[in-house]
Amino acid sequence: HRLAPGTQPRVCTVVRRLSSMLFKYQGYIGCALVLGGVDVTGPSLYQIYPHGSTDNLPFTSMGSGSLAAMSILESEYKDDMTIEEGKALVAKAIRAGIFNDLGSGSNVDVCVITKEGGQIFRNMEKPNERKFKAQYKGFPKGTTPVLKEDIMKLVTIESGDVTMSG
């Protein structure tokens, strides 16, 4: 779409292409996505499920901590929030996900998308930073014992003919 002179791709076009790709593979290839952007129709936020279905919502969360995050978003979201209020709300929702789910990460990253462009705030907060980091200690070669070694003869060649052994 960008190749067409004077036009920019719409957010819904990107969502449709991703959704079609995920649906085509029927779950053999899947990813859960939150996709946002601004186009000629204004700001958009989409949720794309691993099997290809989509939702267009004012706020969303995905991932293992999404239930805790969604509870914060549902109870505190307002339509007329400033960018700073929105960043604070998203950070609070991510913290809820981090502290209520063992599979979630430990950093708060926030992305703000406006018509001027996007800005990523990496490590905006580190509410669950590790106190100690485990040292990597690789195993020297030869320390893993070989428990069993089998060499099987699967093919027998007799005078140019190949016979499979069972």
Side-chain angles (χ1 to χ4, degrees):
H1 290 284
R2 184 170 249 193
L3 297 177
T7 63
Q8 292 289 320
R10 293 177 56 181
V11 178
C12 64
T13 303
V14 176
V15 170
R16 181 74 182 127
R17 293 182 93 181
L18 288 168
S19 171
S20 295
M21 179 70 73
L22 292 171
F23 184 76
K24 179 170 94 174
Y25 287 102
Q26 293 291 303
Y28 290 104
I29 294 176
C31 58
L33 301 169
V34 173
L35 188 135
V38 178
D39 58 20
V40 295
T41 62
S44 303
L45 184 66
Y46 287 88
Q47 187 172 13
I48 307 172
Y49 294 93
H51 49 74
S53 65
T54 63
D55 282 328
N56 184 2
L57 304 161
F59 56 85
T60 188
S61 67
M62 288 193 101
S64 59
S66 66
L67 292 177
M70 186 57 85
S71 69
I72 298 295
L73 294 171
E74 285 178 343
S75 63
E76 298 185 26
Y77 174 81
K78 298 179 295 221
D79 282 331
D80 57 348
M81 297 177 83
T82 66
I83 288 178
E84 290 305 315
E85 289 173 332
K87 283 170 50 178
L89 176 60
V90 169
K92 184 175 181 180
I94 293 171
R95 279 195 311 273
I98 289 171
F99 290 126
N100 291 291
D101 176 65
L102 295 176
S104 291
S106 59
N107 298 335
V108 175
D109 297 339
V110 175
C111 179
V112 176
I113 302 171
T114 63
K115 60 185 172 190
E116 286 80 31
Q119 187 175 10
I120 299 174
F121 298 92
R122 300 275 306 164
N123 297 322
M124 191 170 120
E125 295 177 16
K126 293 185 176 183
N128 200 15
E129 198 165 0
R130 291 183 181 196
K131 301 268 189 250
F132 306 100
K133 186 172 182 179
Q135 295 276 330
Y136 174 73
K137 297 177 183 170
F139 294 101
K141 287 189 175 195
T143 57
T144 304
V146 176
L147 300 178
K148 181 179 175 184
E149 184 175 322
D150 269 343
I151 300 174
M152 299 172 64
K153 190 173 182 182
L154 298 176
V155 177
T156 305
I157 301 175
E158 297 173 1
S159 67
D161 295 333
V162 177
T163 308
M164 299 300 288
S165 300

